[in-house]
Amino acid sequence: MAETTGSFSRRRMITVLAAATAGPLLSWPVAAEAPPRWIWRGTALGAPATLILEHLDRAAAELAVAACLDEIERLEREFSLHRPDSALSRLNATGALAPSLDMLALLEAAAAVSDASHGAFDITVQPLWELYARHFRVHPGGKEGPRDAAIAATLRRIDYRQVSLAPERIILPGGMSITMNGIAQGYITDRVADLLRGRGWTNVMIDLGEIYALGSRADGKEWAIEIDPPSVLRAALPLLNVRDRAVATSSAAATVFEESGRHHHLFDPRTGRSACHCVQVTVVAGRATIADALSTALFVARPEEREGMMQRFPGAECLVVDTNGNLTRLAG
């Protein structure tokens, strides 16, 4: 749950079936009697992104895509750690910010998931990312993580409850910094879905790192989502058929610091070490913001904590692959 850089590997875990390779925006007829499928590909928050719109009118699809890209750009200026001029970067640099409504809403959503997960999800883990990134830059071939003393010192700067949230001002205590990487992609996905829904679109698949199926396909069928299975899995992952639902996956293999994969980006804020109780979690929920954050929280959580955590999110479902390759399904 931390911001990535180009120095470390990052893998895609979710595939929209039938999303063929495409240019910036093109027609791909599904069948002779069906509306054409318009596909845009690009990046959002540093990850590959895709918009699939099924509609008769190319001009309408192009206008919709342009509006979505404007919204993505606007929200990246709020939440990106890669951009020094973003609102988040300014908050981390100065410790204070007069927040936009989006910033306040996202921080409040993050705090709610943190409370529900008893701190397993915590956006203030960015100092841990920085510690591990520095350590493995100095020890590029090493397999051991930072020393216990360094982790203990860093943990003193991590606690989401210390962030002061108010409509007029956000205050971040000295030495703390925030990453939105475990929730911002979901929030942006929701905002794009809301924008398109408000314009009357009903046959859209949005993939901005997290997925949202807006309505069904034009033929009335649900959108089919395939999850990339981890190598240890003993049984096949089910195909997910979704309509007006979001899908998010957290995986230890998505971003790793060294070859063994033992040290990865999904940190347990309570120990300062990479979480080690499972290898992959997929969540299906009504909102991508929740699916995104909850997949991280469930990955970090201890096995005995997951069922109670899911009960805090009625309607959500999850698939957990543990380190022995066993698949567990839980529902809220």
Side-chain angles (χ1 to χ4, degrees):
M1 189 175 71
E3 193 75 11
T4 60
T5 73
S7 302
F8 304 98
S9 64
R10 184 173 187 172
R11 291 178 51 203
R12 293 282 292 165
M13 295 294 148
I14 305 178
T15 302
V16 182
L17 294 188
T21 301
L25 185 62
L26 59 78
S27 171
W28 182 39
V30 181
E33 70 280 4
R37 175 173 287 172
W38 309 98
I39 303 176
W40 170 87
R41 293 185 187 279
T43 60
L45 283 176
T50 304
L51 298 173
I52 305 174
L53 303 89
E54 294 186 342
H55 197 270
L56 289 170
D57 189 342
R58 179 186 181 116
E62 289 180 334
L63 287 172
V65 168
C68 292
L69 298 184
D70 286 344
E71 182 70 349
I72 292 168
E73 169 65 17
R74 184 183 71 82
L75 293 170
E76 283 198 343
R77 291 197 299 267
E78 289 286 325
F79 306 133
S80 175
L81 276 182
H82 295 295
R83 301 173 63 149
D85 61 338
S86 74
L88 180 60
S89 293
R90 297 197 310 272
L91 173 60
N92 284 339
T94 66
L97 181 74
S100 67
L101 292 178
D102 287 297
M103 179 65 75
L104 190 62
L106 186 53
L107 287 172
E108 288 176 343
V113 176
S114 295
D115 287 341
S117 65
H118 305 291
F121 179 82
D122 191 329
I123 60 172
T124 67
V125 297
Q126 182 62 16
L128 277 173
W129 166 267
E130 294 163 355
L131 173 67
Y132 277 75
R134 285 194 306 270
H135 175 84
F136 284 102
R137 277 196 295 267
V138 174
H139 308 284
K143 297 190 184 305
E144 296 302 318
R147 294 181 179 274
D148 290 345
I151 291 176
T154 303
L155 285 176
R156 290 195 286 271
R157 301 159 55 198
I158 295 171
D159 185 350
Y160 74 96
R161 295 166 298 182
Q162 300 301 314
V163 180
S164 175
L165 300 181
E168 61 280 357
R169 199 154 188 82
I170 298 169
I171 299 175
L172 194 61
M176 295 181 69
S177 57
I178 285 174
T179 173
M180 298 294 200
N181 198 55
I183 192 170
Q185 285 173 314
Y187 183 85
I188 294 174
T189 301
D190 282 334
R191 291 306 304 264
V192 168
D194 293 342
L195 182 154
L196 290 171
R197 186 184 289 110
R199 291 173 174 236
W201 287 83
T202 56
N203 307 125
V204 180
M205 172 57 68
I206 303 161
D207 180 0
L208 305 181
E210 318 307 339
I211 280 177
Y212 191 92
L214 179 54
S216 65
R217 291 173 10 186
D219 60 8
K221 295 180 180 179
E222 296 177 320
W223 293 92
I225 309 299
E226 184 178 56
I227 308 300
D228 187 15
S231 59
V232 299
L233 183 64
R234 294 183 175 183
L237 284 171
L239 191 68
L240 302 178
N241 295 302
V242 293
R243 180 199 316 254
D244 292 317
R245 301 273 279 169
V247 181
T249 290
S250 292
S251 169
T255 306
V256 298
F257 291 97
E258 42 78 37
E259 288 185 359
S260 77
R262 185 162 61 95
H263 302 287
H264 55 78
H265 70 301
L266 293 163
F267 299 113
D268 187 335
R270 300 165 295 188
T271 67
R273 300 287 183 184
S274 298
C276 60
H277 303 294
C278 63
V279 296
Q280 186 169 297
V281 175
T282 296
V283 171
V284 181
R287 299 288 285 177
T289 307
I290 295 301
D292 192 3
L294 186 55
S295 69
T296 299
L298 289 165
F299 190 103
V300 171
R302 302 176 185 95
E304 65 272 15
E305 297 174 313
R306 294 189 191 118
E307 188 169 355
M309 195 181 300
M310 286 296 295
Q311 298 309 309
R312 302 287 297 272
F313 299 93
E317 303 170 74
C318 79
L319 300 170
V320 180
V321 181
D322 69 21
T323 54
N324 293 318
N326 300 310
L327 178 64
T328 301
R329 307 182 190 201
L330 297 171

